[in-house]
Amino acid sequence: MADIQWFPGHMAKANREMSEAVKLVDIVIELRDARMPLASHNPNFDKLFNGKPRLIILNKADLADESQNKLWLNYFKEENTILVNSTHDDLKKIVVNKVQDILKEKIEKYKAKGIRKKVLKAIVVGIPNVGKSTFINNIVKKKVAKVENRPGVTKTLTWININEDLLLLDTPGVLWPKFENQNQAKTLALLGSINDDILDKQELTNYGLKLIKKNYPGLLNSRYDINEEDDDLLYSIGVAKNCLAKDNKIDYIKACEMVLNDIRSNKLGRVTYEKL
Ligand code: G4P
């Protein structure tokens, strides 16, 4: 597959605005996808948010393999990390408590100065499709209540009142200018964080099938009723699932769409694509 690169102009603009906006916040809340905890980390964030306290949210935990979730949480134990799914009823409580815990020294300092009610500000960042809108809507529990723009922040970024203690700065999903690691790019593409129009779907599907076969032997067999040792898994799936064109040949486009759709809508069950 030709190298995947995707960094549209609006992401470059958002990056510039985020580098200004971060000066205004107390903490960075970075959402990642629990099915790919490393691939879904934007390396640019390390530079952009250097020195700020950070809370890593491994989102979509309900879609990832439970035993892998535990291993990944342990992997990140030196950092402030929680596993959640964005539709969880107690999401707001979990996140607010964690933010207050991470910033407890700062809160104590404010109290010592006699400032009892200092509103904490957090910037919420993540790659596209990581679940940021779902996360924020659940925390807000209604259509987002926008407040006025603040200095240094233009319309791309939006302030949202959560409660009297916390203000969130919502940002668009952003990637970075160059994918040094093409496997990372392919994993991102597989789970829908990169615009499909620029991708070779057949090669992407083959990549996904290989990854699933390696991480979860037997899964493709039980889902598609194929022999996983076949050379051309996509062909075998096309035959087994009747993805045929008019001339009775395999319709690879149809087979790809079916498999990609199965992967993205989690028809294969709880799968972690980046396994520890
Ligand atoms: P974004 O703003 O970061 O781009 O992501 P968004 O919230 O739009 O979420 C992308 C997709 O992931 C949505 O599904 C959303 O429902 C789903 N999602 C987000 N968080 C979670 C989670 O924790 N668990 C599960 N199971 N799904 C989650 P969609 O099919 O694209 O849209 P929709 O049909 O839900 O509207």
Side-chain angles (χ1 to χ4, degrees), residues 217-268:
L219 185 59
L220 294 175
N221 186 338
S222 57
R223 170 80 195 169
Y224 298 112
D225 201 14
I226 56 160
N227 180 354
E228 279 187 4
E229 297 318 311
D230 288 349
D231 281 341
D232 187 348
L233 291 173
L234 195 53
Y235 177 86
S236 306
I237 291 172
V239 172
K241 294 291 157 196
N242 239 348
C243 298
L244 299 176
K246 278 194 188 123
D247 52 7
N248 251 3
K249 287 196 178 132
I250 294 298
D251 185 339
Y252 275 98
I253 295 176
K254 201 168 162 187
C256 283
E257 273 170 7
M258 183 188 70
V259 172
L260 281 181
N261 189 44
D262 285 354
I263 289 173
R264 290 171 182 172
S265 57
N266 258 61
K267 297 259 167 50
L268 297 163

Side-chain angles (χ1 to χ4, degrees), residues 180-243:
E180 303 291 347
N181 177 340
Q182 280 296 308
N183 277 343
Q184 176 180 21
K186 286 182 205 164
T187 308
L188 288 170
L190 194 65
L191 294 180
S193 290
I194 292 179
N195 182 0
D196 257 356
D197 298 343
I198 64 153
L199 304 170
D200 179 331
K201 286 198 185 158
Q202 188 164 334
E203 288 195 43
L204 185 63
T205 310
N206 282 327
Y207 170 79
L209 290 170
K210 266 195 214 137
L211 199 56
I212 295 166
K213 178 181 157 186
K214 182 172 136 240
N215 285 355
Y216 298 91
L219 185 59
L220 294 175
N221 186 338
S222 57
R223 170 80 195 169
Y224 298 112
D225 201 14
I226 56 160
N227 180 354
E228 279 187 4
E229 297 318 311
D230 288 349
D231 281 341
D232 187 348
L233 291 173
L234 195 53
Y235 177 86
S236 306
I237 291 172
V239 172
K241 294 291 157 196
N242 239 348
C243 298

Side-chain angles (χ1 to χ4, degrees), residues 59-60 62-63 85-87 127-134:
N59 189 35
K60 304 198 184 187
D62 58 315
L63 302 181
N85 75 72
S86 278
T87 49
I127 59 163
N129 202 40
V130 74
K132 220 152 45 59
S133 315
T134 313

